[in-house]
Amino acid sequence: MKLAHVGDHSASAWGDQLYPGVIARLVQRIGLPADITHFAPITGTTVAGEPIRPLRALRHSNADAVLVGGGDLLRLDTTTVALDHMAVPEAERHGFWVRLRVEAFRRRHYLRGPGVWLPQDDWITGVPTALVSVGARRLAPDTRVQAAVSRLKGVWARTPYAAHQIGALGLDVDRIVVAPDMIFAHPALSAQRAAAKRGRQIVRDLLDVEEPLVVFQAARAHGWPEARVEAVLNSLHGLPVAVLSLGARPDEERALTAAAQRTGADTLFGLNADEIVCVLAAAGIVFTTNAHAALVAGSFGTPVLVPSAAKTSVTFATCPHPPHIEGVNDADLAATVRARHDDRRLHDPAPNASAAEAAMSAILDLAGVV
C-alpha cells in the first residue's frame, strides 16, 4: 500500500514535526504494510530524515490514498500560514511589500483552493482522501469549502468543535470519527522509562544539570510578551529553570532568549522534535501555553501547569483517560511550581493511544484502504 501523508511537517512548529513518525507508528500498529511519502507546503526532512516533498508533487505520485493531518489544518487563513512559514515577525506583517511576498509564496507553494489543506480539486484525481487527527478554525460555509469537504471519504476530528465544523459543512455524520490526537500514539509514550532516561542525559549534556528541570514555554501569540515572561522567570529564581521554544512563531524564541539572558535561566534550543519529547518526559515540572506540550508531558506523569486549564482541556475532551493538568495564574505560579516540582503522577497513556489506533483503522476503512 502506498500512502501519501500531507501536513505541515516541515514547519518550525514542534507538534507538526512529530506527526510523520506518529502516523507511521499507527499504520504499523494496525498491521497495514505501507510505504508512506510525506508532503507539505515547503520541502524539508522529517525527524527520521525522510524527504518532505512539495504539495504540487503529490499529483504526480502513485499513492493509493491520501491522508491529511494531523494538526489544525482545517483553516482558511492562508495569509497567516504563509507569514508563519516565511518567519515574518508580528511587527512586520503589514504593508505593500509583505503582501507581495505573501502572494508570491502562495503561488509557489499552495494549490488552488479555499485553504492550504482544502484544495479545490482532488489531491490526486480518483484517489481517496481522508483527514486524520485534525482540528479546525472557524470555517465559513461557502460553496468552495463545502465542495472541498464533500470529496473527503472520512474525517478524524480531534475535538468536538472540529467535528461540529465539518458536520455543519454537510459531511455525513457516519464519515466523522471523533478521537484523541494521534500524538498519544508517539512511540516514546510506550517506552516511558527509556524516554525519561534519554531526556535526563540531554539535559546533562546541554546544561550540566542533574536536578529535574522546571521547563518554561510561553508564546507571545498566547498573551506572553517578553516582559511577562521575564517577570515569571524572576519569580522562579533559585530553581533549575530552562526556557523551551516550540517554534510556532519566530517571535517566541527571541522573547524567551532575551528574558532568559536577563534572569539567568538556561535555554533549551536546537533540539529535534523527539528530543523535546524526552526532555518533557524527564522534567520536574512543565509550564506551557502549548496544548501538545501539555498533552505529552502530562502523559508521562510530569506535573503540568497551564495559564488556562479550561482552554487546554478542550484538547483532552476526546480522551478516554486524559492526562492531569493544572491551571495557574501569574501571581500563584512561582508558589505552585515550588509545591508541585517533581511531584509526579502515574498516568497510563495506553487507553488514549488505543483510541487513536481505532480511529486510524476506522478512517482507513472509510477510505477503502483496509
Side-chain angles (χ1 to χ4, degrees):
M1 180 65 60
K2 297 184 183 298
L3 300 177
H5 177 208
V6 179
D8 207 12
H9 332 302
S10 50
S12 59
W14 165 70
D16 291 307
Q17 294 173 2
L18 293 175
Y19 284 124
V22 172
I23 202 167
R25 171 74 166 179
L26 276 174
V27 169
Q28 179 188 50
R29 283 179 60 144
I30 64 175
L32 177 67
D35 291 327
I36 305 174
T37 307
H38 306 287
F39 298 85
I42 54 178
T43 58
T45 56
T46 68
V47 177
E50 302 163 316
I52 299 172
R53 296 174 170 83
L55 294 181
R56 295 184 186 281
L58 180 56
R59 290 192 171 150
H60 305 293
S61 74
N62 59 349
D64 299 302
V66 180
L67 303 180
V68 183
D72 271 342
L73 302 187
L74 296 179
R75 53 191 294 182
L76 308 179
D77 54 341
T78 56
T79 296
T80 299
V81 174
L83 290 167
D84 287 347
H85 282 144
M86 294 160 61
V88 178
E90 294 289 340
E92 301 172 17
R93 294 192 168 203
H94 307 284
F96 175 74
W97 293 111
V98 173
R99 290 196 298 272
L100 283 183
R101 289 176 60 202
V102 166
E103 185 56 32
F105 184 94
R106 287 161 56 165
R107 289 177 180 273
R108 188 182 313 117
H109 297 288
Y110 299 169
L111 302 182
R112 293 170 61 89
V116 180
W117 295 277
L118 289 169
Q120 68 179 22
D121 301 316
D122 289 338
W123 286 107
I124 306 174
T125 303
V127 172
T129 295
L131 305 186
V132 292
S133 188
V134 294
R137 310 287 174 89
R138 185 177 181 277
L139 298 174
D142 66 42
T143 55
R144 292 194 309 156
V145 177
Q146 290 171 327
V149 169
S150 70
R151 293 193 299 273
L152 298 171
K153 296 299 183 181
V155 173
W156 166 4
R158 66 183 187 182
T159 66
Y161 177 77
H164 173 76
Q165 289 281 290
I166 289 294
L169 291 169
L171 191 69
D172 193 322
V173 66
D174 293 336
R175 294 195 170 274
I176 302 173
V177 178
V178 184
D181 194 300
M182 74 164 82
I183 295 295
F184 280 112
H186 192 283
L189 290 176
S190 58
Q192 297 203 0
R193 288 186 179 180
K197 181 179 179 181
R198 185 183 177 202
R200 289 190 293 270
Q201 188 61 53
I202 290 169
V203 171
R204 279 194 294 266
D205 291 344
L206 288 180
L207 308 179
D208 194 25
V209 173
E210 294 287 343
E211 190 177 356
L213 282 180
V214 176
V215 175
F216 182 93
Q217 179 276 329
R220 185 184 186 91
H222 295 146
W224 284 80
E226 191 175 315
R228 187 180 182 188
V229 172
E230 183 176 349
V232 168
L233 293 180
N234 273 325
S235 74
L236 299 175
H237 184 72
L239 292 169
V241 180
V243 298
L244 173 69
S245 172
L246 298 179
R249 293 287 181 93
D251 297 308
E252 179 181 326
E253 186 166 321
R254 283 196 290 269
L256 289 172
T257 300
Q261 287 174 343
R262 289 195 294 271
T263 59
D266 284 316
T267 57
L268 280 168
F269 299 148
L271 302 178
N272 70 36
D274 284 341
E275 288 172 333
I276 290 174
V277 170
C278 294
V279 167
L280 297 176
I285 193 166
V286 172
F287 175 87
T288 183
T289 62
N290 181 282
H292 271 141
L295 180 158
V296 169
S299 294
F300 284 106
T302 302
V304 177
L305 304 180
V306 296
S308 171
K311 180 179 178 181
T312 306
S313 63
V314 171
T315 309
F316 301 157
T318 57
C319 298
H321 189 198
H324 178 76
I325 59 172
E326 184 175 348
V328 65
N329 58 41
D330 293 26
D332 297 332
L333 195 152
T336 306
V337 167
R338 288 180 168 84
R340 302 286 189 273
H341 184 235
D342 212 23
D343 181 20
R344 306 187 70 82
R345 295 188 176 214
L346 291 177
H347 179 81
D348 181 8
N352 301 324
S354 295
E357 183 180 333
M360 179 62 82
S361 293
I363 285 297
L364 291 176
D365 184 48
L366 288 168
V369 173
V370 293

